[in-house]
Coordinates of all heavy atoms in Angstrom, one line a residue:
M26 N 69.8 -52.2 -4.0 CA 68.6 -51.2 -4.1 C 67.4 -51.9 -3.6 O 67.1 -53.0 -3.9 CB 68.5 -50.9 -5.7 CG 67.6 -49.8 -5.9 SD 67.7 -49.4 -7.7 CE 66.2 -50.1 -8.2
Q27 N 66.6 -51.1 -2.8 CA 65.5 -51.6 -2.2 C 64.3 -51.3 -3.1 O 64.1 -50.2 -3.6 CB 65.3 -51.1 -0.8 CG 64.3 -51.9 0.0 CD 64.3 -51.3 1.5 OE1 64.5 -50.2 1.7 NE2 63.8 -52.2 2.4
Q28 N 63.5 -52.4 -3.2 CA 62.2 -52.3 -4.1 C 61.2 -51.5 -3.2 O 61.1 -51.6 -2.1 CB 61.7 -53.6 -4.4 CG 61.0 -53.8 -5.8 CD 60.7 -55.2 -6.0 OE1 60.8 -56.0 -5.2 NE2 60.2 -55.6 -7.2
A29 N 60.4 -50.7 -4.0 CA 59.3 -50.1 -3.4 C 58.3 -51.1 -2.8 O 57.9 -52.1 -3.6 CB 58.5 -49.1 -4.3
N30 N 57.7 -50.8 -1.6 CA 56.9 -51.9 -0.9 C 55.5 -51.6 -1.4 O 54.7 -50.8 -0.8 CB 56.9 -51.8 0.5 CG 56.6 -53.1 1.2 OD1 56.2 -53.9 0.4 ND2 56.7 -53.1 2.5
T31 N 55.0 -52.3 -2.5 CA 53.6 -52.2 -2.9 C 53.0 -53.5 -2.4 O 53.3 -54.6 -2.9 CB 53.7 -52.1 -4.4 OG1 54.4 -53.2 -4.9 CG2 54.1 -50.8 -5.0
F32 N 52.1 -53.3 -1.5 CA 51.4 -54.3 -0.9 C 50.3 -55.0 -1.7 O 49.4 -54.2 -2.2 CB 50.7 -53.9 0.5 CG 51.1 -54.8 1.6 CD1 52.3 -55.0 2.0 CD2 50.1 -55.6 2.1 CE1 52.6 -55.8 3.2 CE2 50.3 -56.4 3.2 CZ 51.7 -56.5 3.7
K33 N 50.3 -56.2 -1.9 CA 49.3 -56.9 -2.8 C 48.5 -57.9 -1.9 O 49.0 -58.6 -1.1 CB 50.0 -57.6 -3.9 CG 50.7 -56.7 -4.8 CD 51.0 -57.2 -6.2 CE 51.3 -56.1 -7.2 NZ 52.7 -55.8 -7.2
N34 N 47.2 -58.0 -2.2 CA 46.3 -59.0 -1.6 C 46.2 -60.3 -2.2 O 45.9 -61.2 -1.6 CB 44.9 -58.4 -1.4 CG 44.9 -57.2 -0.5 OD1 45.6 -57.2 0.5 ND2 44.1 -56.2 -0.9
Y35 N 46.6 -60.4 -3.5 CA 46.5 -61.6 -4.3 C 47.8 -61.9 -5.0 O 48.6 -61.1 -5.2 CB 45.4 -61.5 -5.3 CG 44.0 -61.4 -4.7 CD1 43.4 -60.1 -4.5 CD2 43.2 -62.6 -4.2 CE1 42.1 -60.0 -4.0 CE2 42.1 -62.5 -3.6 CZ 41.4 -61.2 -3.6 OH 40.3 -61.1 -3.0
I36 N 47.9 -63.2 -5.2 CA 49.1 -63.7 -5.9 C 48.7 -64.7 -7.0 O 47.7 -65.5 -6.7 CB 50.1 -64.4 -5.0 CG1 51.5 -64.6 -5.8 CG2 49.6 -65.6 -4.3 CD1 52.6 -65.0 -4.9
W37 N 49.2 -64.7 -8.2 CA 48.8 -65.6 -9.3 C 49.7 -66.8 -9.3 O 51.0 -66.6 -9.1 CB 48.8 -64.9 -10.7 CG 47.8 -63.9 -10.8 CD1 47.8 -62.5 -10.6 CD2 46.4 -64.2 -11.2 NE1 46.6 -62.0 -10.8 CE2 45.7 -63.0 -11.1 CE3 45.6 -65.3 -11.5 CZ2 44.4 -62.8 -11.4 CZ3 44.4 -65.2 -11.8 CH2 43.6 -64.0 -11.8
L38 N 49.3 -68.0 -9.3 CA 50.1 -69.2 -9.3 C 49.8 -70.0 -10.6 O 48.8 -69.7 -11.3 CB 49.7 -70.1 -8.1 CG 49.8 -69.4 -6.8 CD1 49.1 -70.2 -5.7 CD2 51.2 -69.1 -6.4
M39 N 50.7 -70.9 -10.9 CA 50.6 -71.9 -12.1 C 50.3 -71.0 -13.4 O 49.5 -71.3 -14.2 CB 49.3 -72.7 -11.9 CG 49.5 -73.5 -10.6 SD 49.8 -75.3 -10.7 CE 49.1 -75.9 -12.1
G40 N 51.2 -70.0 -13.7 CA 51.1 -69.2 -14.8 C 49.7 -68.6 -15.0 O 49.1 -68.7 -16.0
R41 N 49.3 -67.9 -14.0 CA 48.1 -67.0 -13.8 C 46.8 -67.9 -14.1 O 45.8 -67.4 -14.6 CB 48.1 -65.9 -14.9 CG 48.9 -64.6 -14.4 CD 48.8 -63.5 -15.5 NE 47.6 -62.8 -15.2 CZ 47.4 -61.8 -14.3 NH1 48.4 -61.5 -13.6 NH2 46.3 -61.1 -14.2
R42 N 46.9 -69.1 -13.7 CA 45.6 -69.9 -13.8 C 45.0 -70.0 -12.4 O 43.7 -70.1 -12.3 CB 46.1 -71.4 -14.1 CG 46.1 -71.6 -15.6 CD 46.5 -72.9 -16.0 NE 47.9 -73.0 -15.9 CZ 48.6 -74.1 -16.2 NH1 47.9 -75.2 -16.6 NH2 49.8 -74.2 -16.2
I43 N 45.8 -69.8 -11.3 CA 45.1 -69.8 -10.1 C 45.4 -68.5 -9.3 O 46.6 -68.1 -9.2 CB 45.7 -71.0 -9.1 CG1 45.3 -72.3 -9.7 CG2 45.1 -70.9 -7.7 CD1 46.1 -73.5 -9.1
R44 N 44.3 -67.8 -8.7 CA 44.6 -66.6 -8.0 C 44.3 -67.0 -6.5 O 43.3 -67.5 -6.1 CB 43.5 -65.6 -8.3 CG 43.9 -64.3 -7.7 CD 43.0 -63.2 -8.3 NE 41.7 -63.2 -7.5 CZ 41.0 -62.2 -7.3 NH1 41.3 -61.0 -7.8 NH2 39.9 -62.2 -6.5
A45 N 45.4 -66.7 -5.7 CA 45.2 -67.1 -4.3 C 45.5 -65.8 -3.4 O 46.2 -64.8 -3.8 CB 46.2 -68.2 -3.9
H46 N 45.1 -65.8 -2.2 CA 45.4 -64.7 -1.2 C 47.0 -64.7 -1.0 O 47.5 -65.8 -0.9 CB 44.7 -64.9 0.1 CG 43.2 -64.5 0.0 ND1 42.9 -63.2 0.2 CD2 42.1 -65.2 -0.2 CE1 41.6 -63.1 0.0 NE2 41.1 -64.3 -0.2
R47 N 47.5 -63.6 -1.0 CA 49.0 -63.6 -0.8 C 49.2 -63.3 0.8 O 48.5 -62.6 1.4 CB 49.5 -62.3 -1.5 CG 51.1 -62.4 -1.5 CD 51.5 -61.4 -2.6 NE 53.0 -61.1 -2.4 CZ 53.8 -60.4 -3.2 NH1 53.1 -59.8 -4.1 NH2 54.9 -60.3 -2.8
C48 N 50.4 -63.9 1.2 CA 50.7 -63.8 2.6 C 50.9 -62.3 3.0 O 51.6 -61.6 2.2 CB 52.0 -64.6 2.9 SG 52.6 -64.5 4.5
Q49 N 50.4 -61.9 4.2 CA 50.4 -60.5 4.4 C 51.5 -60.1 5.3 O 51.7 -59.0 5.9 CB 49.1 -60.1 5.0 CG 47.9 -60.3 4.2 CD 47.8 -59.3 3.0 OE1 47.8 -58.2 3.2 NE2 47.9 -59.9 1.9
A50 N 52.5 -61.1 5.5 CA 53.7 -60.8 6.5 C 54.7 -60.1 5.7 O 54.8 -60.2 4.5 CB 54.1 -62.2 7.0
L51 N 55.6 -59.4 6.5 CA 56.7 -58.7 6.0 C 58.0 -59.4 6.4 O 58.2 -60.0 7.5 CB 56.8 -57.2 6.6 CG 55.8 -56.3 6.1 CD1 55.9 -55.0 6.8 CD2 55.9 -56.1 4.6
S52 N 58.9 -59.4 5.4 CA 60.3 -60.0 5.8 C 61.0 -59.2 6.8 O 61.0 -58.0 6.8 CB 61.1 -60.1 4.5 OG 62.5 -60.3 4.8
K53 N 61.6 -59.8 7.7 CA 62.4 -59.2 8.8 C 63.5 -58.4 8.2 O 63.9 -57.3 8.6 CB 62.9 -60.2 9.8 CG 62.0 -60.5 10.9 CD 62.7 -61.1 12.0 CE 61.9 -62.1 12.8 NZ 62.5 -62.9 13.7
R54 N 64.3 -59.1 7.2 CA 65.5 -58.5 6.7 C 65.2 -57.5 5.7 O 65.7 -56.4 5.7 CB 66.3 -59.6 6.0 CG 67.1 -60.3 7.1 CD 67.9 -61.4 6.6 NE 67.2 -62.5 5.9 CZ 67.3 -63.1 4.8 NH1 68.4 -62.8 4.1 NH2 66.5 -64.1 4.4
S55 N 64.4 -57.8 4.7 CA 64.3 -56.9 3.5 C 63.1 -55.9 3.5 O 63.0 -55.1 2.8 CB 64.1 -57.7 2.2 OG 62.9 -58.5 2.3
K56 N 62.1 -56.2 4.6 CA 61.0 -55.4 4.9 C 60.1 -55.4 3.6 O 59.2 -54.5 3.5 CB 61.3 -54.0 5.2 CG 62.4 -53.7 6.2 CD 61.8 -54.0 7.6 CE 62.9 -53.8 8.6 NZ 62.8 -54.7 9.8
L57 N 60.1 -56.5 2.9 CA 59.2 -56.6 1.7 C 58.1 -57.7 2.0 O 58.4 -58.5 3.0 CB 60.0 -57.1 0.5 CG 61.1 -56.1 -0.1 CD1 61.8 -56.7 -1.2 CD2 60.2 -54.9 -0.5
Q58 N 57.1 -57.7 1.4 CA 56.0 -58.6 1.6 C 56.4 -60.0 1.2 O 57.1 -60.2 0.1 CB 54.8 -58.2 0.8 CG 53.5 -59.0 1.0 CD 52.4 -58.6 0.2 OE1 52.4 -57.8 -0.6 NE2 51.2 -59.2 0.6
C59 N 55.9 -61.0 2.0 CA 56.2 -62.4 1.7 C 55.6 -62.8 0.3 O 54.6 -62.2 0.0 CB 55.6 -63.2 2.8 SG 55.9 -65.0 2.6
K60 N 56.4 -63.5 -0.4 CA 55.8 -63.9 -1.9 C 55.1 -65.2 -1.9 O 54.7 -65.5 -3.0 CB 57.1 -63.9 -2.8 CG 57.6 -62.5 -2.9 CD 58.9 -62.5 -3.9 CE 59.4 -61.0 -4.1 NZ 60.7 -61.0 -3.8
N61 N 54.8 -65.8 -0.8 CA 54.1 -67.0 -0.7 C 52.6 -66.8 -0.8 O 52.1 -65.7 -0.5 CB 54.4 -67.9 0.5 CG 55.8 -68.5 0.4 OD1 56.2 -69.0 -0.7 ND2 56.5 -68.5 1.5
A62 N 51.8 -67.8 -1.2 CA 50.4 -67.7 -1.0 C 49.9 -68.0 0.4 O 50.6 -68.8 1.0 CB 49.8 -68.8 -2.0
A63 N 48.9 -67.3 0.9 CA 48.4 -67.5 2.2 C 47.7 -68.8 2.3 O 47.1 -69.4 1.3 CB 47.5 -66.4 2.6
L64 N 47.6 -69.4 3.4 CA 46.8 -70.7 3.6 C 45.4 -70.4 3.4 O 45.0 -69.3 3.7 CB 47.1 -71.3 4.9 CG 48.5 -71.9 5.2 CD1 48.7 -72.3 6.5 CD2 48.9 -73.0 4.2
R65 N 44.6 -71.4 3.1 CA 43.1 -71.2 3.0 C 42.5 -70.7 4.2 O 42.7 -71.1 5.3 CB 42.5 -72.6 2.6 CG 41.1 -72.6 2.2 CD 40.7 -73.9 1.8 NE 41.5 -74.4 0.7 CZ 41.0 -74.9 -0.4 NH1 39.7 -75.1 -0.5 NH2 41.8 -75.3 -1.3
E66 N 41.7 -69.7 4.0 CA 40.9 -68.9 5.2 C 41.9 -68.3 6.2 O 41.6 -68.0 7.3 CB 39.9 -69.8 5.8 CG 38.8 -70.2 4.8 CD 37.9 -71.3 5.5 OE1 38.0 -71.5 6.7 OE2 37.2 -72.0 4.7
K67 N 43.1 -68.0 5.7 CA 44.2 -67.3 6.6 C 44.8 -66.2 5.9 O 44.6 -66.0 4.6 CB 45.3 -68.3 6.9 CG 44.7 -69.5 7.8 CD 44.6 -69.1 9.2 CE 44.0 -70.3 10.0 NZ 44.9 -71.2 10.6
H68 N 45.4 -65.3 6.4 CA 46.1 -64.2 5.9 C 47.6 -64.3 5.7 O 48.3 -63.5 5.2 CB 45.8 -62.9 6.7 CG 44.5 -62.5 6.8 ND1 43.7 -62.0 5.7 CD2 43.4 -62.7 7.7 CE1 42.6 -61.8 6.1 NE2 42.3 -62.2 7.3
V69 N 48.2 -65.4 6.3 CA 49.5 -65.7 6.2 C 49.8 -67.1 5.9 O 48.9 -68.0 5.9 CB 50.2 -65.4 7.6 CG1 50.4 -63.9 7.9 CG2 49.6 -66.0 8.8
C70 N 51.1 -67.3 5.3 CA 51.6 -68.6 4.9 C 52.1 -69.4 6.0 O 52.0 -69.0 7.2 CB 52.6 -68.4 3.8 SG 54.1 -67.9 4.6
R71 N 52.4 -70.6 5.9 CA 52.8 -71.5 6.9 C 54.0 -71.1 7.6 O 54.2 -71.4 8.8 CB 53.0 -73.0 6.4 CG 54.1 -73.1 5.4 CD 54.0 -74.4 4.5 NE 54.7 -74.1 3.3 CZ 55.6 -74.9 2.9 NH1 55.8 -76.0 3.4 NH2 56.4 -74.6 1.8
F72 N 54.9 -70.4 6.9 CA 56.2 -69.9 7.6 C 55.9 -68.7 8.5 O 56.7 -68.5 9.4 CB 57.2 -69.5 6.5 CG 57.4 -70.5 5.6 CD1 57.2 -70.5 4.4 CD2 58.2 -71.7 6.1 CE1 57.5 -71.6 3.4 CE2 58.6 -72.7 5.2 CZ 58.2 -72.7 3.9
H73 N 54.8 -68.0 8.3 CA 54.5 -66.8 9.1 C 53.3 -67.1 10.2 O 52.6 -66.2 10.4 CB 54.2 -65.6 8.2 CG 55.5 -65.2 7.5 ND1 55.7 -65.2 6.1 CD2 56.6 -64.7 8.0 CE1 56.8 -64.8 5.8 NE2 57.5 -64.5 6.9
G74 N 53.2 -68.3 10.5 CA 52.2 -68.6 11.6 C 50.9 -68.9 11.1 O 49.9 -69.0 11.9
G75 N 50.7 -69.3 9.8 CA 49.4 -69.6 9.3 C 48.9 -71.0 9.8 O 47.7 -71.3 9.9
K76 N 49.8 -71.8 10.2 CA 49.5 -73.2 10.8 C 49.2 -73.1 12.2 O 48.8 -74.2 12.8 CB 50.6 -74.2 10.5 CG 50.7 -74.7 9.1 CD 51.0 -76.1 9.1 CE 50.6 -76.6 7.6 NZ 50.8 -78.1 7.6
S77 N 49.5 -72.0 12.9 CA 49.3 -71.8 14.3 C 47.8 -71.9 14.7 O 46.9 -71.4 14.0 CB 49.9 -70.5 14.8 OG 49.5 -70.4 16.2
K78 N 47.5 -72.6 15.8 CA 46.1 -72.7 16.3 C 45.9 -71.8 17.5 O 44.9 -71.7 18.0 CB 45.8 -74.1 16.7 CG 45.9 -75.2 15.5 CD 45.2 -76.5 16.1 CE 45.9 -77.6 15.3 NZ 45.7 -78.8 16.0
G79 N 46.9 -71.1 17.8 CA 46.8 -70.2 18.9 C 47.0 -71.0 20.2 O 47.2 -72.2 20.2
P80 N 46.8 -70.4 21.4 CA 46.9 -71.0 22.7 C 45.8 -72.1 22.8 O 44.7 -71.7 22.6 CB 46.9 -69.8 23.6 CG 46.2 -68.7 23.1 CD 46.5 -68.9 21.6
L81 N 46.2 -73.2 23.2 CA 45.1 -74.3 23.3 C 44.9 -74.6 24.9 O 43.7 -74.8 25.3 CB 45.7 -75.6 22.7 CG 45.7 -75.5 21.2 CD1 46.5 -76.7 20.6 CD2 44.6 -75.3 20.5
T82 N 45.9 -74.7 25.6 CA 45.7 -75.0 27.2 C 45.2 -73.8 27.9 O 45.4 -72.7 27.4 CB 47.0 -75.5 27.7 OG1 47.9 -74.4 27.7 CG2 47.5 -76.7 27.0
I83 N 44.6 -73.9 28.9 CA 44.0 -72.9 29.9 C 45.2 -72.0 30.3 O 45.1 -70.7 30.4 CB 43.3 -73.4 31.0 CG1 42.0 -74.2 30.5 CG2 42.8 -72.3 32.0 CD1 41.3 -75.1 31.5
D84 N 46.3 -72.6 30.7 CA 47.5 -72.0 31.1 C 48.1 -71.1 30.0 O 48.5 -69.9 30.2 CB 48.6 -73.0 31.6 CG 49.8 -72.3 32.2 OD1 49.5 -71.4 33.1 OD2 50.9 -72.7 31.9
G85 N 48.1 -71.6 28.7 CA 48.5 -70.9 27.6 C 47.6 -69.7 27.3 O 48.2 -68.6 27.0
K86 N 46.4 -69.9 27.3 CA 45.4 -68.7 27.2 C 45.6 -67.7 28.2 O 45.5 -66.5 27.8 CB 44.0 -69.3 27.2 CG 43.6 -70.0 25.8 CD 42.3 -70.6 25.9 CE 42.0 -71.4 24.6 NZ 40.7 -72.1 24.7
K87 N 45.8 -68.0 29.4 CA 46.0 -67.1 30.5 C 47.3 -66.2 30.3 O 47.3 -65.1 30.4 CB 46.0 -67.8 31.8 CG 45.9 -66.8 33.0 CD 46.2 -67.4 34.3 CE 46.4 -66.5 35.4 NZ 47.3 -65.3 35.2
R88 N 48.3 -67.0 29.8 CA 49.6 -66.4 29.5 C 49.5 -65.3 28.4 O 49.9 -64.2 28.4 CB 50.7 -67.4 29.2 CG 51.9 -67.1 29.9 CD 53.0 -68.3 29.6 NE 52.3 -69.6 29.2 CZ 52.8 -70.3 28.3 NH1 53.9 -69.9 27.6 NH2 52.3 -71.5 28.0
C89 N 48.6 -65.7 27.3 CA 48.5 -64.9 26.2 C 47.6 -63.6 26.7 O 48.0 -62.5 26.2 CB 47.7 -65.6 25.2 SG 48.0 -65.1 23.5
A90 N 46.7 -63.8 27.5 CA 45.8 -62.7 27.9 C 46.6 -61.7 28.8 O 46.4 -60.5 28.7 CB 44.6 -63.2 28.7
D91 N 47.5 -62.2 29.6 CA 48.4 -61.5 30.5 C 49.3 -60.6 29.7 O 49.5 -59.4 30.0 CB 49.2 -62.3 31.4 CG 48.3 -63.0 32.6 OD1 47.2 -62.5 32.6 OD2 48.9 -63.9 33.3
V92 N 49.8 -61.2 28.6 CA 50.8 -60.4 27.8 C 50.0 -59.2 27.0 O 50.4 -58.2 26.8 CB 51.4 -61.2 26.8 CG1 52.2 -60.5 25.7 CG2 52.4 -62.2 27.4
K93 N 48.8 -59.4 26.6 CA 47.9 -58.6 25.9 C 47.3 -57.4 26.7 O 46.9 -56.4 26.2 CB 46.8 -59.4 25.0 CG 47.3 -60.0 23.9 CD 47.4 -59.2 22.7 CE 48.0 -59.9 21.5 NZ 48.5 -59.1 20.4
T94 N 47.2 -57.8 28.0 CA 46.7 -56.8 29.0 C 47.5 -55.6 29.1 O 48.7 -55.8 29.6 CB 46.2 -57.5 30.2 OG1 45.3 -58.5 30.0 CG2 45.5 -56.4 31.2
I95 N 47.1 -54.4 28.9 CA 48.0 -53.1 29.1 C 47.9 -52.8 30.5 O 48.9 -52.7 31.1 CB 47.6 -52.1 28.2 CG1 47.9 -52.6 26.7 CG2 48.4 -51.0 28.4 CD1 47.3 -51.7 25.7
H96 N 46.7 -52.5 31.0 CA 46.6 -52.0 32.5 C 45.4 -52.6 33.2 O 45.5 -52.8 34.4 CB 46.6 -50.5 32.5 CG 45.7 -49.9 31.6 ND1 44.3 -49.9 31.8 CD2 46.0 -49.0 30.5 CE1 43.8 -49.2 30.8 NE2 44.7 -48.8 30.0
G97 N 44.3 -53.0 32.5 CA 43.2 -53.6 33.1 C 42.3 -52.6 33.8 O 41.3 -52.9 34.5
R98 N 42.5 -51.3 33.7 CA 41.7 -50.2 34.4 C 40.4 -50.1 33.6 O 39.5 -49.8 34.1 CB 42.4 -49.0 34.5 CG 43.6 -48.9 35.5 CD 44.1 -47.5 35.7 NE 44.7 -47.0 34.6 CZ 46.1 -46.9 34.4 NH1 46.9 -47.4 35.3 NH2 46.6 -46.6 33.3
E99 N 40.4 -50.3 32.3 CA 39.3 -50.1 31.4 C 38.8 -51.5 30.9 O 39.6 -52.1 30.1 CB 39.6 -49.2 30.3 CG 38.6 -48.7 29.4 CD 37.7 -47.6 29.9 OE1 38.2 -47.1 30.9 OE2 36.6 -47.3 29.3
T100 N 37.8 -51.9 31.5 CA 37.2 -53.3 31.0 C 35.8 -53.1 30.5 O 35.2 -52.1 30.7 CB 37.3 -54.3 32.1 OG1 36.4 -53.9 33.1 CG2 38.6 -54.7 32.6
R101 N 35.3 -54.1 29.8 CA 33.9 -54.1 29.3 C 32.9 -54.1 30.5 O 32.0 -53.3 30.3 CB 33.6 -55.4 28.5 CG 34.3 -55.3 27.1 CD 33.8 -56.5 26.2 NE 34.6 -56.2 24.9 CZ 35.1 -57.3 24.3 NH1 35.1 -58.4 24.8 NH2 35.8 -57.0 23.1
E102 N 33.2 -54.7 31.6 CA 32.3 -54.7 32.7 C 32.2 -53.3 33.3 O 31.2 -52.8 33.6 CB 32.7 -55.7 33.7 CG 32.2 -57.1 33.7 CD 32.7 -58.1 34.7 OE1 32.6 -57.6 35.9 OE2 33.2 -59.0 34.4
K103 N 33.5 -52.7 33.4 CA 33.5 -51.3 34.0 C 32.7 -50.3 33.1 O 32.1 -49.4 33.6 CB 34.9 -50.8 34.2 CG 35.6 -51.6 35.4 CD 37.0 -51.2 35.5 CE 37.6 -52.0 36.6 NZ 39.0 -51.7 36.9
R104 N 32.9 -50.4 31.7 CA 32.2 -49.6 30.8 C 30.7 -49.8 30.9 O 30.0 -48.7 30.8 CB 32.6 -50.0 29.5 CG 33.9 -49.2 29.1 CD 34.2 -49.4 27.5 NE 35.6 -49.4 27.4 CZ 36.3 -50.1 26.4 NH1 35.6 -50.8 25.7 NH2 37.5 -50.2 26.4
K105 N 30.2 -51.0 31.1 CA 28.9 -51.3 31.3 C 28.3 -50.7 32.4 O 27.2 -49.9 32.4 CB 28.6 -52.8 31.3 CG 27.2 -53.3 30.9 CD 27.1 -54.7 30.9 CE 27.6 -55.3 29.7 NZ 27.6 -56.9 29.6
I106 N 29.0 -50.7 33.6 CA 28.6 -50.1 34.9 C 28.5 -48.6 34.7 O 27.6 -47.9 35.1 CB 29.6 -50.5 36.0 CG1 29.5 -51.9 36.3 CG2 29.3 -49.6 37.2 CD1 30.5 -52.6 37.1
R107 N 29.6 -48.1 34.1 CA 29.7 -46.6 33.8 C 28.5 -46.1 33.0 O 27.9 -45.0 33.3 CB 30.9 -46.2 33.2 CG 31.3 -44.8 33.4 CD 32.7 -44.3 32.7 NE 33.7 -45.1 33.3 CZ 34.7 -45.6 32.5 NH1 34.6 -45.5 31.1 NH2 35.7 -46.3 33.0
S108 N 28.1 -46.9 31.9 CA 27.1 -46.4 31.1 C 25.7 -46.5 31.8 O 24.9 -45.5 31.6 CB 27.0 -47.1 29.9 OG 26.5 -48.5 30.1
K109 N 25.5 -47.4 32.8 CA 24.3 -47.5 33.6 C 24.2 -46.3 34.5 O 23.2 -45.8 34.6 CB 24.3 -48.8 34.4 CG 23.7 -50.0 33.8 CD 23.6 -51.2 34.6 CE 23.3 -52.4 33.9 NZ 23.4 -53.6 34.7
K110 N 25.3 -46.0 35.2 CA 25.3 -44.9 36.0 C 25.0 -43.7 35.3 O 24.5 -42.7 35.9 CB 26.8 -44.9 36.8 CG 26.9 -46.1 37.7 CD 26.0 -45.9 39.0 CE 26.1 -47.1 39.9 NZ 25.1 -47.1 40.9
F111 N 25.7 -43.5 34.1 CA 25.4 -42.3 33.3 C 24.0 -42.0 33.0 O 23.5 -41.0 33.1 CB 26.3 -42.3 32.1 CG 26.4 -41.0 31.3 CD1 27.1 -40.0 31.9 CD2 25.6 -40.8 30.2 CE1 27.2 -38.7 31.2 CE2 25.8 -39.7 29.5 CZ 26.5 -38.7 30.1
I112 N 23.3 -43.3 32.7 CA 21.8 -43.1 32.4 C 21.1 -42.7 33.6 O 20.2 -41.9 33.5 CB 21.3 -44.5 31.8 CG1 22.0 -44.7 30.4 CG2 19.8 -44.5 31.8 CD1 21.7 -46.1 30.0
E113 N 21.5 -43.3 34.7 CA 20.8 -42.9 36.1 C 21.0 -41.4 36.3 O 20.1 -40.8 36.7 CB 21.5 -43.7 37.3 CG 20.8 -45.0 37.6 CD 21.5 -45.6 38.7 OE1 21.8 -45.0 39.7 OE2 21.8 -46.8 38.7
M114 N 22.2 -41.0 36.1 CA 22.6 -39.5 36.3 C 21.7 -38.6 35.5 O 21.2 -37.6 35.9 CB 24.1 -39.3 36.2 CG 24.6 -38.0 36.6 SD 26.3 -37.9 36.4 CE 26.3 -37.5 34.6
K115 N 21.6 -39.0 34.2 CA 20.8 -38.2 33.3 C 19.3 -38.2 33.7 O 18.6 -37.1 33.7 CB 20.9 -38.8 31.9 CG 22.0 -38.3 31.1 CD 21.8 -38.5 29.6 CE 22.7 -37.6 28.9 NZ 22.5 -37.7 27.4
L116 N 18.8 -39.3 34.2 CA 17.4 -39.4 34.7 C 17.2 -38.4 35.9 O 16.2 -37.8 36.0 CB 17.1 -40.9 35.1 CG 15.7 -41.2 35.3 CD1 15.0 -41.6 33.9 CD2 15.4 -42.3 36.3
L117 N 18.1 -38.5 36.9 CA 18.1 -37.6 38.0 C 18.2 -36.2 37.5 O 17.4 -35.3 38.2 CB 19.2 -37.9 39.0 CG 19.0 -39.3 39.7 CD1 20.3 -39.6 40.6 CD2 17.9 -39.3 40.7
A118 N 19.0 -35.9 36.5 CA 19.2 -34.4 36.2 C 17.9 -34.0 35.5 O 17.5 -32.9 35.8 CB 20.4 -34.4 35.3
S119 N 17.2 -34.9 34.7 CA 16.0 -34.5 34.1 C 14.9 -34.3 35.3 O 14.0 -33.4 34.9 CB 15.5 -35.6 33.1 OG 15.2 -36.8 33.7
L120 N 14.9 -34.9 36.4 CA 13.9 -34.8 37.4 C 14.0 -33.5 38.1 O 13.0 -32.8 38.6 CB 14.0 -35.9 38.4 CG 13.6 -37.4 38.0 CD1 13.8 -38.3 39.1 CD2 12.1 -37.3 37.7
L121 N 15.2 -33.0 38.1 CA 15.5 -31.6 38.8 C 15.0 -30.5 38.0 O 14.6 -29.5 38.6 CB 17.1 -31.4 39.0 CG 17.7 -32.4 40.1 CD1 19.2 -32.2 40.1 CD2 17.1 -32.1 41.5
K122 N 14.9 -30.7 36.6 CA 14.4 -29.5 35.9 C 12.9 -29.2 36.0 O 12.1 -30.1 36.4 CB 14.7 -29.8 34.4 CG 16.2 -29.5 34.1 CD 16.5 -30.0 32.7 CE 18.0 -30.0 32.4 NZ 18.4 -30.4 31.1
Ligands
ZN1071 ZN1 54.5 -65.7 4.4

């Protein structure tokens, strides 16, 4: 019988003497929330990547960015250029009136 998945943000430890953040990861097999306490200033426990520092080398960071990039057609730079052009266009349109 599968338990209803009620997600909790905190977990009580040491007989309700310590309240800690609860790990926010889900179990692959049972699809239930992890029952461990999260690491300090993290959302997950050590088993679910809480000890990870993320990519450290330049090569690793580039690999991570490549995986996260979906298409690259919409970037912050392009949005900035587009908003500048839009302001220009509005100014020109106001001059025509
Ligand atoms: Zn966990």
Side-chain angles (χ1 to χ4, degrees):
M26 195 174 101
Q27 200 174 23
Q28 214 175 7
N30 202 1
T31 50
F32 225 71
K33 294 200 170 86
N34 291 324
Y35 293 97
I36 188 168
W37 290 95
L38 305 168
M39 306 248 325
R41 278 186 84 84
R42 273 179 277 180
I43 298 170
R44 192 175 84 151
H46 283 276
R47 190 168 165 174
C48 177
Q49 301 292 299
L51 288 177
S52 163
K53 270 192 213 172
R54 279 182 291 144
S55 64
K56 310 288 182 208
L57 294 173
Q58 186 181 8
C59 177
K60 289 180 179 127
N61 283 324
L64 292 178
R65 191 176 296 231
E66 296 172 14
K67 297 278 171 89
H68 297 283
V69 285
C70 70
R71 66 201 157 130
F72 300 112
H73 290 116
K76 285 219 161 189
S77 172
K78 294 186 208 165
L81 297 174
T82 62
I83 294 164
D84 188 46
K86 284 176 186 174
K87 192 191 174 302
R88 224 174 335 136
C89 209
D91 288 346
V92 169
K93 287 280 181 183
T94 302
I95 296 168
H96 47 71
R98 289 189 294 258
E99 186 84 5
T100 61
R101 286 189 181 135
E102 268 179 52
K103 285 180 182 176
R104 276 189 215 148
K105 206 178 277 180
I106 291 165
R107 197 182 302 135
S108 70
K109 269 185 190 171
K110 290 289 173 191
F111 191 72
I112 290 165
E113 265 182 47
M114 194 178 75
K115 274 199 159 182
L116 196 87
L117 290 171
S119 69
L120 290 174
L121 288 174
K122 284 176 189 175

